[in-house]
Amino acid sequence: MTTEPPLSTPDHPNQFDLLRQRRFAPFFWTQFLGAGNDNLFKFAFTVLVTYQLQVEWLEPKMAGLIIGALFILPFLLFSATSGQLTDKYDKTRVIQLVKSLEIGIMLLAGWGFWVSNVPVLLACVFLMGLHSTLFGPVKYAYLPQHLNERELTGGNGMVEMGTFVAILLGQVAGGLLIGMPEIGRHYVAFACIGMAILGRLSAQFVPASPSTDPNLRINWNPVSETWRNLQLAHQNVVVFRSLLGISWMWFFGAVFLSQFPSFAKEVLHGNEQVASLLLVVFSVGIGTGSLLCEVLSRRHVEIGLVPLGAIGMSVFAVDLYFASRGLPPATSLSLGAFVAQAAHWRVMADLALLSLFAGLYSVPMYALIQLRSQASHRARIIAANNILNALFMIVSAVGVGVLLKTGLSIPQVFLIVGLLNAVVAGYIFLLVPEYLLRFVAFVTTRLVYRLKVRGDENIPTQGAAILVCNHVSFVDAVLLMAASPRPIRFIMDHRIFQVPVLGWLFKLAKAIPIAPQREDPVVYERAFAQARQVLADGDLLCIFPEGAITRDGQLAEFKGGIMKVLETHPVPVVPLALQNLWGSFFSRIDGAAMTRPFRRGLFSPVGVVAGDAVAPDAVTPSLLRDRVGALLAS
C-alpha cells in the first residue's frame, strides 16, 4: 500500500510551524538527537585517543581518519539492505527499532569510555555507522509520505538545518565533556546513553508510515542490490543525475570539513578554538541556506535555486583562496586575537557564504528526488544516494591527500575544488536542462519582474493535464515555468524558435513547435503527435489557444486545437491568466517587442492566476476563453 500526503494538508505560516505538528516534530527531534549523539560520541572519542590516551597502534594523527573510515564503511556495505527494509516495512517501526539499537550501542560505548577500551569504542564507531546507515533512507523517505509538495522544501530545509546544528552541538558538547579532568569520560558515557534514550522516546511519537512495498523480497547480497538500486534510480534521468549532484556536494563539503583543523593551524595561525569557530561558521551557513530555501522557493520545490547555489559555492571557494593568501605570520592565535584581525573576517565571510549557498544547492535536490521517485522504491533510491555519497567522500579524501602530497597548499586545494565545482555543476545542468531553465525562470521573476502567483494549488502536482493561457509576451512560458510546481511542455509558434537566446531556451525546454496546417502540414501533425505523447507520459502540456502573441493587449478568440488533443486524451484543463504583462519590454505594445528595455523599470509587477480545472467533457474554446477572461479581471 502506498500513502502520499493529501493535497488538502492544512497550510501553515512557515516551516517552523511544522515543529508544532505531530507528523513532523517527533521525527525532527528523533533525527536531531541521533545526529547530535553520533557526533558527541565520535568527537569525544577522537579527542580521547588524540590527547588523553597513548595507544601504540593508533597514532593521534591517524585517529580521525580511521574513525571516519570506520563510520563510513557501513554505508558501503549495508545501504542497499537498509533501503529495502525501509520500503518493505512501516517506516515508523524501522525508526523505533533503529533507535532501540542505538541505546544498545551507546551502553556498550559507555562501558568503553568508562574503562578506556579503545577496541570496543572503535567497534561502536562501526556500529553507529550501521545505525546511521539504517536511518538514512528513512530520514528522507519519511518526509514525502507526510508532507505535501508545498511543504517538502521547508521540511527538508528544517531537517538539513537541524542536522548541521546537531552536528555542531554534538561536537562542542563532546569536546567540553571529554575535556573535564579525570571524570570527563564518565560524563560522555552518561550523555551518550541519555541522548539515545531521549531519541527512542521521541521515536515513540512518530506517526505511522505504512509500507510502500510490503511484498518486496529482500535481497541480502549488497553488491547485486546496490547495482539494482542504481538501475532503479537511473530509470528517471533527472533523479539519477540529481543523486550525482548531491554526491558532488558531499565531495565538495568533505574537502573543507576535513581540512578545517589544518587550515586553522597552518594557514590562519590559530589554535583549536579557531578550528572550532570555522566549524561553527560553516554549520550556521548551511543551516541558514537550508532555511532560506522555503522563502526563496515560494513554498514549492524550486530547483532553480540549485544553479544559484552552485555559483555561490564556486565564487566564495575561489575568494577563500585569495582571502587566505599572504596572511601575516603569527604564533597560535587565540580566538580573541583571531577575530580582532580584519583580514580574518573576510575568511569567515567566505566560509559562511560558501556554506549558505551549499544549503541552497542541496535542499531542492533532496526535495526533487523525494518528489520524483516512485513511492514504492523511494527508500532504495535514497539508499543508492547514500552509497554514492560515501564513495564520493572517499574519493574526496584520497584526492585531497594526493594534492597535498604534490606540495599544494590548503588554499590552493580550495581553489581547485572551487573551479572544479563550476565545471561539474555546469556539466550536470547541461545534462539536466530543467535546472538551468528553472534558474532562468527564477532570475526573471525576481530581477526583471515581481511575480505574484495565485491559485497555483489548482495546477496538479501529479498526472496529466492541459494548461491554457492568454499569450501576451515572448516570456510567457518563462513566467508559467516559474509559477508551476512541475515541468511544463509548451506548444509554441515555430517562429519563436528563431528569436535569439529565447529560441535556444525554448529548444532546451523541449517546447513543441507548431505551424498553421496550410503553411506546414508536417509540423502541424507532428506537434499534435508530440502533444498526445506528453499527456500519455502523465506530464503537463501548455497551449496558448489564441495562436499568437497579442498585438493590442486584448484577449483574442480561442482556436479549436485543444479539442483535437482532448479527443484522444481526455484530461483536466486548467485555465491560467497572465496579468499586467502587456506594456512590458517583451510585449508588442509598440508593434514590436524588446525595443524599450526600461519602459516600466525593473521589478515590474506581473501576475499568474490559475483557476479551477475544467472537466474534459465540458471543455469548449469559448468556455475556456470566458474562464481566462474572468481570471484576467480578478
Side-chain angles (χ1 to χ4, degrees):
M1 180 176 67
T2 299
T3 60
E4 295 296 324
L7 294 180
S8 59
T9 300
D11 210 357
H12 55 271
N14 57 59
Q15 58 211 38
F16 290 100
D17 195 63
L18 289 171
L19 290 175
R20 298 162 53 189
Q21 302 181 28
R22 190 187 166 199
R23 62 196 171 109
F24 183 81
F27 165 78
F28 174 86
W29 292 115
T30 300
Q31 68 86 29
F32 181 90
L33 289 164
N37 207 15
D38 264 351
N39 286 275
L40 188 157
F41 163 67
K42 286 190 299 179
F43 196 76
F45 181 34
T46 304
V47 172
L48 181 71
V49 294
T50 303
Y51 294 101
Q52 299 180 12
L53 295 180
Q54 300 300 319
V55 183
E56 185 176 339
W57 49 271
L58 184 61
E59 297 180 41
K61 65 181 180 181
M62 294 296 294
L65 181 62
I66 291 173
I67 289 170
L70 275 175
F71 189 79
I72 289 176
L73 184 58
F75 284 90
L76 296 174
L77 297 177
F78 304 116
S79 283
T81 304
S82 69
Q84 294 177 89
L85 294 173
T86 301
D87 277 335
K88 182 174 177 63
Y89 299 108
D90 184 301
K91 293 174 183 58
T92 300
R93 186 62 181 149
V94 173
I95 291 172
Q96 291 167 351
L97 289 172
V98 170
K99 302 317 285 185
S100 297
L101 173 65
E102 183 184 358
I103 294 176
I105 297 169
M106 287 297 101
L107 284 170
L108 182 61
W111 179 80
F113 275 114
W114 201 277
V115 299
S116 299
N117 190 314
V118 174
V120 167
L121 291 171
L122 285 172
C124 289
V125 170
F126 179 85
L127 290 173
M128 283 305 287
L130 174 62
H131 158 273
S132 296
T133 301
L134 293 171
F135 191 78
V138 183
K139 177 178 176 180
Y140 290 106
Y142 174 90
L143 290 177
Q145 206 163 340
H146 291 271
L147 304 182
N148 64 30
E149 188 272 338
R150 293 176 65 86
E151 299 169 315
L152 204 51
T153 295
N156 274 281
M158 290 294 292
V159 168
E160 287 294 292
M161 177 276 298
T163 298
F164 277 89
V165 170
I167 290 171
L168 175 61
L169 294 178
Q171 293 191 357
V172 170
L176 292 174
L177 291 174
I178 199 68
M180 293 181 178
E182 299 182 7
I183 58 171
R185 292 176 291 112
H186 301 161
Y187 280 135
V188 170
F190 287 129
C192 287
I193 295 169
M195 289 187 70
I197 292 172
L198 287 174
R200 180 60 183 85
L201 290 174
S202 179
Q204 195 62 36
F205 297 96
V206 176
S209 308
S211 166
T212 53
D213 193 359
N215 298 319
L216 175 68
R217 294 182 62 184
I218 303 294
N219 174 14
W220 298 100
N221 184 327
V223 177
S224 62
E225 185 60 26
T226 295
W227 180 248
R228 191 167 74 173
N229 287 353
L230 291 173
Q231 288 178 315
L232 279 174
H234 197 266
Q235 290 175 5
N236 186 318
V237 174
V238 173
V239 168
F240 182 72
R241 288 170 178 167
S242 297
L243 296 182
L244 295 177
I246 287 174
S247 296
W248 170 255
M249 193 274 293
W250 281 99
F251 177 106
F252 182 91
V255 171
F256 290 88
L257 289 170
S258 66
Q259 294 305 308
F260 278 167
S262 299
F263 182 60
K265 180 180 179 181
E266 298 172 15
V267 179
L268 303 179
H269 316 296
N271 61 13
E272 297 90 342
Q273 292 178 323
V274 173
S276 297
L277 175 64
L278 299 183
L279 178 64
V280 170
V281 169
F282 192 87
S283 299
V284 170
I286 284 274
T288 303
S290 299
L291 293 178
L292 280 174
C293 286
E294 185 181 61
V295 177
L296 294 175
S297 65
R298 295 194 179 112
R299 312 278 303 275
H300 282 301
V301 177
E302 179 50 85
I303 60 174
L305 292 173
V306 176
L308 178 65
I311 292 168
M313 288 161 66
S314 284
V315 167
F316 292 106
V318 171
D319 192 65
L320 183 60
Y321 162 75
F322 291 105
S324 55
R325 289 177 64 197
L327 292 174
T331 54
S332 192
L333 293 171
S334 66
L335 183 60
F338 176 80
V339 298
Q341 295 188 23
H344 294 150
W345 282 90
R346 179 179 171 188
V347 171
M348 290 189 289
D350 282 331
L351 274 177
L353 291 169
L354 177 154
S355 55
L356 183 149
F357 279 97
L360 295 180
Y361 174 95
S362 64
V363 168
M365 272 195 171
Y366 274 120
L368 180 72
I369 290 169
Q370 293 164 337
L371 194 64
R372 301 279 181 90
S373 300
Q374 290 187 29
S376 59
H377 53 257
R378 184 182 287 135
R380 279 168 283 170
I381 289 176
I382 293 167
N385 183 223
N386 290 339
I387 296 167
L388 289 173
N389 291 347
L391 289 172
F392 273 63
M393 291 170 72
I394 291 169
V395 172
S396 167
V398 172
V400 170
V402 170
L403 290 175
L404 293 175
K405 283 289 186 183
T406 62
L408 293 178
S409 66
I410 293 173
Q412 287 173 327
V413 171
F414 291 166
L415 174 65
I416 289 171
V417 172
L419 295 173
L420 192 57
N421 178 69
V423 174
V424 171
Y427 179 67
I428 290 174
F429 301 146
L430 287 176
L431 287 177
V432 189
E434 188 180 341
Y435 282 107
L436 191 57
L437 293 167
R438 295 291 301 198
F439 176 63
V440 171
F442 177 84
V443 171
T444 302
T445 54
R446 267 75 172 182
L447 299 182
V448 180
Y449 297 109
R450 284 190 293 115
L451 178 65
K452 181 178 180 181
V453 181
R454 292 184 290 133
D456 51 329
E457 66 276 5
N458 293 318
I459 302 175
T461 56
Q462 294 179 332
I466 298 176
L467 312 179
V468 295
C469 188
N470 57 317
H471 207 0
V472 190
S473 77
F474 284 93
V475 293
D476 291 353
V478 175
L479 297 179
L480 294 177
M481 274 189 241
S484 172
R486 41 189 294 222
I488 304 173
R489 292 285 300 277
F490 294 89
I491 296 182
M492 307 180 75
D493 190 306
H494 67 112
R495 289 167 293 190
I496 201 169
F497 292 87
Q498 300 168 12
V499 177
V501 181
L502 287 176
W504 171 81
L505 190 67
F506 294 138
K507 287 177 184 175
L508 203 61
K510 297 181 180 178
I512 301 169
I514 191 168
Q517 187 174 23
R518 63 182 179 277
E519 181 181 322
D520 195 331
V522 174
V523 172
Y524 178 82
E525 290 300 331
R526 186 193 303 137
F528 281 99
Q530 288 180 283
R532 294 186 189 102
Q533 187 58 50
V534 170
L535 297 176
D537 292 339
D539 295 328
L540 292 180
L541 175 72
C542 183
I543 298 175
F544 298 102
E546 295 169 275
I549 296 174
T550 180
R551 293 185 177 276
D552 59 7
Q554 300 301 309
L555 188 63
E557 292 299 318
F558 280 17
K559 301 184 185 302
I562 188 173
M563 306 307 295
K564 187 172 180 177
V565 178
L566 289 172
E567 285 174 5
T568 55
H569 290 81
V571 298
V573 179
V574 180
L576 304 171
L578 286 160
Q579 296 178 320
N580 202 36
L581 204 55
W582 177 249
S584 68
F585 173 60
F586 293 101
S587 68
R588 286 173 163 166
I589 191 169
D590 291 322
M594 296 175 278
T595 56
R596 292 175 56 187
F598 299 105
R599 168 189 294 279
R600 288 179 16 183
L602 293 174
F603 311 115
S604 174
V606 297
V608 174
V609 187
D612 295 331
V614 180
D617 55 359
V619 170
T620 63
S622 59
L623 172 68
L624 293 178
R625 184 180 183 278
D626 290 342
R627 292 286 184 94
V628 172
L631 292 173
L632 278 172
S634 65

